[in-house]
């Protein structure tokens, strides 16, 4: 005699995002008791003992803010940006640029003594270095969205505060601005490709920076030399650093997917550094 299928099995058979929109009640919410009397539905709420919610940015070492546990799945263009994401990306980019300005301009003292010079320096760094960070994160987002995932950038307020203060005092840039949060069902290869998109985007930007040098624009002016030099350096460093197979870095995710892909791209990144 065939065994009856466990009525709870539909919870693991179906896509978790489908459950968010499904109105099908779980079996435990049946409307009748064994004695024929209707019973009231009881809802049990369980709170985390830490008070934190899921989906935190991966740089928890610098502190992070609680993130929503659920999100609406985007079904439109991969180029969709919510107002929240635009706000977080803007704040993170400004803070990152300010930290770079402190590091290159003599810390908080240099900025106070020469504010116009500090602002000009920040403008140049915004052009030369900030795209390496922004496009790296957007590459993760676009590939994740291509695979049907919800993906948006979320800044890490604690990481930004720490990075700006460190640069202002010690003139050292070590910052965790935030990360693209990805929610969805992916295969291991898809997960690895989402991670790989970041370093590959930096490699593409590095090649883009080589083109003006190959065209003979090197030495044209101090400003263009400054922008090209730090454009190449920032993209080479960010690609190589993120390929390290440790912690929350892209390299660990890529290596989990494929050793051969990891070593191939890691060697390429080392080659341009």
């Amino acid at each position: 005699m065939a065994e009856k299928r466990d009525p709870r099995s539909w919870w693991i058979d179906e896509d978790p995002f489908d459950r968010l929109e499904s109105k099908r009640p779980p079996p435990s919410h049946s409307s009748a008791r064994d004695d024929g009397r209707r019973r009231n539905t009881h809802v049990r709420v369980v709170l985390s003992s830490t008070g934190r919610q899921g989906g935190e940015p991966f740089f928890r070492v610098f502190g992070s803010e609680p993130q929503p546990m659920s999100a609406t799945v985007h079904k439109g263009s991969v180029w969709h940006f919510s107002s929240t994401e635009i706000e977080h990306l803007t704040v993170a980019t400004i803070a990152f640029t300010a930290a770079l300005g402190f590091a290159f301009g003599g810390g908080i003292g240099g900025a106070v003594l020469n504010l116009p010079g500090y602002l000009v320096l920040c403008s140049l760094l915004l052009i030369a270095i900030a795209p390496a960070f922004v496009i790296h994160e957007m590459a993760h987002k676009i590939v994740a969205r291509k695979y049907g995932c919800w993906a948006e950038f979320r800044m890490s307020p604690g990481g930004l505060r720490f990075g700006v203060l460190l640069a202002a005092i010690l003139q050292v840039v070590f910052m965790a601005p935030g990360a693209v949060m990805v929610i969805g069902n992916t295969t291991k290869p898809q997960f690895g490709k989402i991670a790989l998109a970041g370093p590959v985007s930096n490699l593409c930007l590095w090649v883009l920076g080589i083109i003006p040098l190959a065209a003979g624009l090197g030495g044209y002016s101090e400003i263009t030399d400054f922008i090209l030099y730090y454009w190449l350096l920032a993209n080479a460093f960010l690609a190589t650093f993120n390929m390290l197979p440790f912690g929350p870095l892209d390299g660990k995710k890529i290596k989990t997917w494929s050793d051969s892909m990891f070593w191939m791209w890691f060697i390429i990144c080392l080659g341009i550094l």
Side-chain angles (χ1 to χ4, degrees):
M1 181 176 178
E3 295 184 1
K4 290 185 177 180
R5 180 175 171 82
D6 190 324
R8 297 170 297 179
S9 61
W10 70 279
W11 281 99
I12 60 174
D13 286 345
E14 297 185 4
D15 187 278
F17 286 111
D18 291 339
R19 297 203 302 269
L20 297 177
E21 301 177 358
S22 174
K23 296 182 179 179
R24 178 180 180 180
S28 60
H29 288 181
S30 56
S31 59
R33 299 165 59 106
D34 293 339
D35 57 8
R37 296 181 181 178
R38 188 176 184 84
R39 69 175 185 177
N40 294 326
T41 301
H42 297 281
V43 179
R44 182 185 179 192
V45 179
V46 180
L47 299 178
S48 169
S49 59
T50 62
R52 289 182 176 271
Q53 295 176 307
E56 298 177 60
F58 50 57
F59 287 104
R60 295 184 60 187
V61 65
F62 299 120
S64 58
E65 305 299 326
Q67 301 293 320
M69 294 185 67
S70 61
T72 302
V73 181
H74 293 157
K75 299 180 180 179
S77 169
V78 296
W79 301 103
H80 171 85
F81 292 87
S82 69
S83 58
T84 300
E85 182 176 26
I86 293 173
E87 176 187 350
H88 281 228
L89 193 58
T90 301
V91 172
T93 303
I94 292 173
F96 181 58
T97 304
L100 291 171
F102 286 138
F104 282 79
I108 186 67
V112 171
L113 293 175
N114 185 12
L115 182 58
Y118 170 77
L119 295 177
V120 171
L121 179 60
C122 286
S123 300
L124 294 176
L125 293 170
L126 180 65
I127 298 172
I129 298 180
F133 155 67
V134 174
I135 295 178
H136 178 104
E137 295 299 331
M138 291 304 97
H140 289 312
K141 171 190 173 71
I142 292 170
V143 176
R145 291 291 305 278
K146 177 184 175 183
Y147 290 132
C149 299
W150 178 93
E152 286 196 359
F153 178 84
R154 290 294 182 266
M155 66 180 177
S156 174
L160 294 175
R161 287 192 295 267
F162 177 87
V164 171
L165 287 174
L166 184 67
I169 298 172
L170 300 180
Q171 301 175 44
V172 174
V173 178
F174 187 75
M175 176 183 284
V180 170
M181 303 290 110
V182 178
I183 303 175
N185 291 333
T186 59
T187 63
K188 185 181 290 187
Q190 290 173 341
F191 184 70
K193 290 173 184 177
I194 292 171
L196 182 60
V200 169
S201 70
N202 292 125
L203 289 173
C204 292
L205 290 174
W206 185 87
V207 172
L208 188 63
I210 287 292
I211 295 176
L213 294 179
L217 295 181
Y220 180 76
S221 71
E222 291 184 1
I223 293 178
T224 56
D225 286 350
F226 178 91
I227 292 175
L228 287 175
Y229 175 78
Y230 285 106
W231 177 285
L232 295 173
L233 182 62
N235 281 287
F237 174 79
L238 195 59
T240 306
F241 177 77
N242 276 279
M243 282 299 298
L244 296 176
F246 306 114
L249 298 177
D250 298 328
K252 184 175 182 179
K253 303 179 182 72
I254 298 167
K255 198 171 189 299
T256 300
W257 160 42
S258 170
D259 278 337
S260 59
M261 292 295 291
F262 165 77
W263 285 111
M264 181 182 74
W265 288 104
F266 185 55
I267 291 172
I268 292 174
C269 291
L270 283 176
I272 68 170
L273 188 61

